[in-house]
Amino acid sequence: MALVDVAISCLNSIREIEEEVKDAIVYIDAGCTESFQFAGAFPLFLELGARAVCSLENMTSLDAVADWNSMTDCTKRIVIMTSRLLNDAHRYMLRCLTTHDAVQHCTVFTSISEGSHSAIPDSPLGPDAYREYEILLVQDYNEHTKKSDKISKDKGVSNFSSALESLTMEPIISENIDGSSGGVEGLAVSVHHFPLIICPFTPRAFVLPSQGSVAEASLSRQHEDSLSFGLPPISTGSMSDTDDVPPGATLTAHFLHQLALKMELKLEIFSLGDLSKNVGKILTDMSSSLYDVGRRKRSAGLLLVDRTLDLTTPCSHGDSLFDHIFSSLPRAERFSSQAQLEQGVPSINRPSLDVLVPLGELLNEEPSKIRESGFPVGVEAFLRGWDSYTCDPQNVGLLNEYDKKSTTNWTELLNGSLVATECFRGTPYLEAMLDRKTKDGSVLVKKWLQEALRRENISVNVRARPGYATKPELQAMIRALSQSQSSLLKNKGIIQLATATAAALDDSQSAKWDTLSSAEMMLNVSAGDTSQGLAAQISDLINKSAVAELQAKKNEKADTSSRGLLSFRDALLLTIVGYIVAGENFPTSGSGGPFSWQEEHFLKEAIVDAVLENPSVGNLKFLKGLTEELEGRLNRLKSEETKESPADDQLDIDALDDDPWGKWGDEEEEEVDNSKADESYDDMQLKLDLRDRVDSLFRFLHKLSSLRTRNLPLREGSLASENSFSGDPSGNKGLLYRLITKVLSKQEIPGLEYHSSTVGRFLKSGFGRFGLGQAKPSLADQSVILVFVIGGINGREVLEAQEAVSEGGRPDINLVIGGTTLLTPD
């Protein structure tokens, strides 16, 4: 039986649109860029005959110059692929069409289905969304063309610049729709669905693009059970009406439905958590059409899980090289999206999934033959020509200017990203790394480097320890493998992965990760004792981190990570973990939290003092609007101390004055006294505002501590976390591990709901009285199980899920893990 491979399915979907891609410029938005990067789809586009693959948000008229395949000079076809709602991507598509005025046909592929467009209240498109948008896009294109022609005649400016300027002044979509077709006078527009825009880390693990509409959509509305707009609400059992479902739930349900159709899977749907039940209900209603009945599809089980049932696992620094890499490396900047507050529900700006692998920085640390030899003549000429676009054409020293920046250019060009389809003898690199812990994964990367060096007949003089991998060892092998251009290009996959691993194993990064992991383990140990001990531990972490950052600021060394010290932001993250653990171990006190009033008062005072001493610490969201005032107060106090300090050693003459009446009537001193009184009042008001913010923070912490008691599936304790006090960090398994273990052993899971199809409900109610009803299926009986966590997953959970399948003795099960986004502790 063929295995489900989401990465190959994504590439096969691109092959299906070969006719549209051939001889066209392909524009992809930021979400598609993330997806196709992990899937390794860019070479495939060029193989299928695309003229170029370009960024939709950063498009320019020069994109037509980068022509890889076509023999014609003029670009007449454009393909636009977007992971957003059509109305959200409209301004970019309109700018693209008005820039390339010779285009005759535009094909738009969107990952958002027509049903999703009509189901979202904020979308102006209806059930026939694609046809409606074809008409609207052509209408707006014609209007902009006419307006730009008029402006060019009146002002004598170019057609291109006028269109760009008018984009910011016009409404995004025309309000009136007439009977015009999608193709008029020189421009034909067609819109199609392309559902498989996902980020496949491995053939069995994926998340949604962080800059796509599904991942950005809110998962909760503002109410007492809500933690944040990016997480499902607490599962109290009061499932909201379908009409009040947040947009993220609707988009997720439509995505999973289209994913199942594309992969020809017949889903048996199970859910755990309130929002998952809403998604399961929407998904069941869509999957119960008579068209699907009787179609030959492969049966699969879908398990939907709310992220809020387990927040400890994504907040923890577990033993996962994959998580370590994504937490250590910088991410690419997001494109600014119009995240407007609509109907009280904002969109979520999730971090980009594109990690920036610093290969150029690593090779730049010492001389390399690549730098000495330079680029090939053709590549260098192309870079000179491209660079001239950004320089002054009148600059006679253009070539000299390029030579000065040549080192920077090649360094930036060598920086790369992780690709899921890069493999070693058929084994994808990322898959093998994701299935291993930090030590085993780094040793495996070292082994792959050694194999690549042997293939290239390159010898490296480096002292290696068997069974271990260190950053100096990996660096030496990476430099040796990158000495020649042919070797660099041939082994780019392992070189990029090894560079990312070396960055994660850096002393500063690994020391901080280990420190946080140890602190989390100590919090778990303290939770097994008393609440006083746990509160004292949290308070100590806050005080020590605040003192360390303040000392580092005085020494002008803001980067405390270089010494393995915890930042104040890290201490607050540990406070979150501490409150969740406390809520699982201690009964709620009268104050609404797991600690007594006195214990919590000390914690609040520690945070208030830390903020007053260093207001800019951590760039914290709950201090938004107060930071500048707190900084001003601190600077004023410092300036007053500086003025007063020289006079401390001098004798106060006024103190010896026997005639205090001489000061009467001194208006200047009265003004000074009044000014000091006003400043004192402002300081008091500022402190009260700060305490209100801290009180609000602790009300949020109280919600987190109540997850065990308020989440219905966790009340009975069979799914609650089982803390291990043996000192072994791997003793604490996440919810997915416990859940899959119980599923495979066919144990009863409290709160797990099966969503029967319409046909199934009919058989149960109609023919059930004759003994012909269908029995409730079991997830363990399925050969394919898709687990989707609404709210996101991390690498440790994927590893533990595969461990649960292996330990359950079911190698025949094809387990696929998916989530809204990739989560890191930050």
Side-chain angles (χ1 to χ4, degrees):
M1 185 176 293
L3 297 177
V4 174
D5 190 324
V6 291
I8 297 299
S9 298
C10 184
L11 295 177
N12 289 339
S13 296
I14 296 175
R15 289 189 176 93
E16 293 175 3
I17 61 173
E18 179 179 2
E19 292 299 322
E20 289 79 5
V21 168
K22 188 175 180 180
D23 200 32
I25 297 180
V26 179
Y27 281 99
I28 57 178
D29 68 358
C32 292
T33 302
E34 291 179 341
S35 171
F36 298 156
Q37 177 179 287
F38 280 103
F42 296 119
L44 179 59
F45 278 109
L46 300 181
E47 177 187 324
L48 296 178
R51 296 173 66 109
V53 182
C54 307
S55 167
L56 179 62
E57 292 88 350
N58 288 333
M59 66 83 50
T60 71
S61 58
L62 290 178
D63 293 337
V65 178
D67 191 350
W68 292 90
N69 290 308
S70 179
M71 302 300 293
T72 60
D73 295 332
C74 185
T75 303
K76 296 184 178 180
R77 300 179 60 192
I78 283 181
V79 171
I80 298 176
M81 306 188 74
T82 179
S83 57
R84 296 187 175 278
L85 292 164
L86 291 171
N87 50 294
D88 288 342
H90 178 74
R91 62 188 184 278
Y92 297 118
M93 291 190 277
L94 188 57
R95 183 179 66 177
C96 185
L97 290 175
T98 53
T99 301
H100 300 288
D101 50 6
V103 170
Q104 297 179 356
H105 191 277
C106 174
T107 305
V108 178
F109 290 98
T110 175
S111 64
I112 311 299
S113 65
E114 286 189 298
S116 298
H117 280 89
S118 61
I120 297 299
D122 298 327
S123 173
L125 302 174
D128 195 12
Y130 292 170
R131 177 60 179 167
E132 292 175 15
Y133 185 73
E134 290 171 0
I135 299 172
L136 289 168
L137 182 57
V138 172
Q139 280 185 344
D140 279 5
Y141 172 76
N142 290 335
E143 289 179 9
H144 280 288
T145 302
K146 293 176 183 177
K147 184 165 291 188
S148 62
D149 289 340
K150 181 180 179 182
I151 294 176
S152 61
K153 290 178 180 179
D154 295 342
K155 297 185 177 181
V157 296
S158 65
N159 206 5
F160 169 68
S161 60
S162 300
L164 281 180
E165 291 171 3
S166 62
L167 282 177
T168 59
M169 299 183 290
E170 288 296 308
I172 290 182
I173 290 183
S174 303
E175 295 180 358
N176 53 347
I177 303 177
D178 58 16
S180 61
S181 64
V184 296
E185 293 188 5
L187 177 63
V189 175
S190 58
V191 181
H192 307 280
H193 189 214
F194 190 91
L196 276 179
I197 298 181
I198 58 177
C199 296
F201 297 132
T202 75
R204 305 189 306 276
F206 72 93
V207 296
L208 303 179
S210 65
Q211 301 187 67
S213 289
V214 183
E216 287 184 347
S218 174
L219 295 173
S220 176
R221 299 188 183 276
Q222 194 67 41
H223 53 77
E224 61 178 359
D225 295 330
S226 172
L227 293 174
S228 78
F229 291 112
L231 288 172
I234 300 174
S235 298
T236 58
S238 56
M239 191 171 86
S240 60
D241 296 331
T242 306
D243 294 337
D244 197 34
V245 172
T250 303
L251 290 174
T252 300
H254 282 263
F255 159 75
L256 292 171
H257 175 66
Q258 297 297 330
L259 177 69
L261 290 178
K262 192 68 180 177
M263 303 185 74
E264 296 185 348
L265 298 176
K266 181 181 180 298
L267 298 178
E268 299 289 349
I269 305 168
F270 298 81
S271 62
L272 188 67
D274 284 358
L275 190 65
S276 291
K277 290 179 181 178
N278 276 321
V279 174
K281 184 178 184 303
I282 299 172
L283 192 55
T284 303
D285 292 341
M286 288 189 294
S287 304
S288 300
S289 64
L290 294 178
Y291 176 70
D292 288 332
V293 178
R295 297 187 69 193
R296 299 184 61 182
K297 293 183 179 181
R298 186 178 180 183
S299 179
L302 171 63
L303 175 58
L304 300 167
V305 183
D306 277 9
R307 177 73 273 171
T308 43
L309 295 176
D310 177 21
L311 291 181
T312 308
T313 302
C315 284
S316 302
H317 295 73
D319 190 5
S320 167
L321 180 59
F322 188 84
D323 289 339
H324 201 164
I325 288 176
F326 272 83
S327 295
S328 302
L329 293 179
R331 309 282 188 94
E333 294 184 4
R334 284 181 54 95
F335 286 101
S336 58
S337 60
Q338 292 183 339
Q340 299 175 349
L341 190 67
E342 297 176 352
Q343 298 184 1
V345 182
S347 62
I348 313 302
N349 289 328
R350 302 191 185 274
S352 171
L353 296 176
D354 183 11
V355 293
L356 304 178
V357 180
L359 176 59
E361 296 178 10
L362 186 146
L363 297 180
N364 199 27
E365 292 179 5
E366 66 179 34
S368 170
K369 290 181 181 178
I370 293 181
R371 285 171 53 196
E372 294 171 0
S373 62
F375 288 113
V377 178
V379 176
E380 187 168 340
F382 173 77
L383 287 176
R384 288 170 183 257
W386 186 267
D387 207 40
S388 65
Y389 170 69
T390 59
C391 298
D392 185 2
Q394 305 300 324
N395 185 7
V396 294
L398 178 61
L399 297 183
N400 294 331
E401 181 70 19
Y402 172 79
D403 291 334
K404 292 178 183 178
K405 300 192 298 180
S406 59
T407 302
T408 304
N409 279 335
W410 83 262
T411 300
E412 292 177 354
L413 284 174
L414 287 178
N415 289 345
S417 306
L418 301 178
V419 181
T421 51
E422 294 281 357
C423 60
F424 175 76
R425 295 178 181 174
T427 302
Y429 289 126
L430 280 185
E431 179 185 18
M433 186 186 68
L434 193 56
D435 290 343
R436 286 169 172 80
K437 297 181 180 179
T438 304
K439 179 183 175 183
D440 295 338
S442 58
V443 170
L444 182 62
V445 171
K446 175 182 171 182
K447 178 182 176 182
W448 284 333
L449 278 175
Q450 292 171 336
E451 289 284 343
L453 289 169
R454 276 195 287 269
R455 285 200 310 266
E456 300 293 332
N457 293 322
I458 300 174
S459 60
V460 182
N461 185 16
V462 60
R463 183 177 298 177
R465 294 177 57 192
Y468 291 90
T470 62
K471 181 181 178 180
E473 293 175 5
L474 297 181
Q475 279 182 322
M477 290 187 279
I478 292 169
R479 291 192 185 108
L481 199 57
S482 304
Q483 288 296 316
S484 67
Q485 295 178 17
S486 60
S487 174
L488 176 64
L489 292 176
K490 192 187 304 180
N491 301 284
K492 61 184 184 302
I494 182 56
I495 288 175
Q496 295 286 5
L497 180 59
T499 305
T501 304
L505 294 179
D506 183 75
D507 289 341
S508 62
Q509 296 292 343
S510 59
K512 183 173 182 178
W513 188 273
D514 293 342
T515 302
L516 286 164
S517 180
S518 300
E520 290 159 2
M521 182 53 58
M522 293 193 67
L523 291 177
N524 275 288
V525 173
S526 300
D529 191 8
T530 61
S531 62
Q532 292 90 342
L534 182 57
Q537 185 103 28
I538 297 173
S539 180
D540 188 52
L541 288 169
I542 294 173
N543 289 325
K544 285 184 177 179
S545 65
V547 170
E549 286 215 6
L550 188 61
Q551 189 65 33
K553 186 178 181 180
K554 290 180 179 179
N555 297 335
E556 296 183 355
K557 294 179 181 178
D559 185 13
T560 60
S561 62
S562 60
R563 292 172 291 172
L565 296 175
L566 296 180
S567 67
F568 182 64
R569 190 183 184 93
D570 296 329
L572 289 182
L573 175 60
L574 291 171
T575 303
I576 289 176
V577 175
Y579 261 78
I580 296 176
V581 172
E584 294 174 352
N585 288 273
F586 307 124
T588 304
S589 64
S591 63
F595 301 115
S596 66
W597 179 89
Q598 186 177 15
E599 293 164 356
E600 194 160 275
H601 175 72
F602 288 142
L603 292 176
K604 291 181 179 180
E605 289 301 311
I607 294 178
V608 169
D609 292 342
V611 172
L612 288 176
E613 290 291 335
N614 191 4
S616 61
V617 59
N619 191 22
L620 302 170
K621 187 177 180 181
F622 77 93
L623 294 178
K624 187 176 181 181
L626 277 184
T627 305
E628 291 184 2
E629 296 181 32
L630 292 169
E631 285 280 4
R633 170 190 173 276
L634 185 62
N635 293 333
R636 188 177 67 251
L637 292 177
K638 287 182 178 179
S639 63
E640 290 176 359
E641 290 177 2
T642 305
K643 292 179 182 178
E644 293 174 0
S645 57
D648 291 341
D649 298 332
Q650 299 179 4
L651 187 64
D652 190 353
I653 302 301
D654 292 336
L656 301 178
D657 192 353
D658 293 333
D659 186 15
W661 309 106
K663 292 185 179 181
W664 280 34
D666 195 339
E667 297 178 357
E668 292 184 1
E669 292 201 4
E670 287 184 9
E671 291 178 2
V672 171
D673 292 340
N674 291 335
S675 176
K676 289 184 176 180
D678 292 339
E679 290 178 359
S680 177
Y681 175 79
D682 292 340
D683 285 351
M684 184 175 295
Q685 185 64 39
L686 190 59
K687 289 180 180 179
L688 290 175
D689 291 341
L690 176 59
R691 292 183 188 279
D692 288 342
R693 299 289 184 93
V694 173
D695 288 340
S696 176
L697 172 65
F698 273 80
R699 284 194 292 272
F700 171 73
L701 294 176
H702 290 169
K703 277 188 179 182
L704 295 179
S705 66
S706 66
L707 290 177
R708 172 73 176 270
T709 56
R710 296 180 65 189
N711 274 316
L712 285 181
L714 302 180
R715 286 184 186 175
E716 297 185 17
S718 61
L719 284 178
S721 61
E722 302 165 2
N723 294 326
S724 171
F725 308 114
S726 61
D728 179 13
S730 64
N732 295 326
K733 299 292 186 180
L735 175 67
L736 285 192
Y737 175 87
R738 301 191 298 272
L739 190 59
I740 294 173
T741 300
K742 292 183 181 298
V743 163
L744 297 183
S745 59
K746 296 187 177 182
Q747 298 182 30
E748 188 69 23
I749 298 176
L752 183 67
E753 180 172 319
Y754 170 66
H755 297 266
S756 177
S757 64
T758 303
V759 177
R761 291 194 296 268
F762 174 73
L763 291 174
K764 182 178 179 180
S765 59
F767 294 104
R769 68 189 67 179
F770 304 108
L772 300 176
Q774 288 183 325
K776 178 181 177 181
S778 170
L779 264 175
D781 297 332
Q782 305 293 330
S783 60
V784 177
I785 299 179
L786 170 60
V787 180
F788 191 87
V789 182
I790 302 176
I793 57 173
N794 65 359
R796 174 189 168 189
E797 290 180 304
V798 178
L799 170 61
E800 290 181 351
Q802 299 297 341
E803 287 179 353
V805 173
S806 301
E807 294 171 3
R810 294 293 304 276
D812 58 308
I813 287 184
N814 190 7
L815 179 67
V816 180
I817 306 292
T820 305
T821 188
L822 179 69
L823 297 174
T824 61
D826 284 342

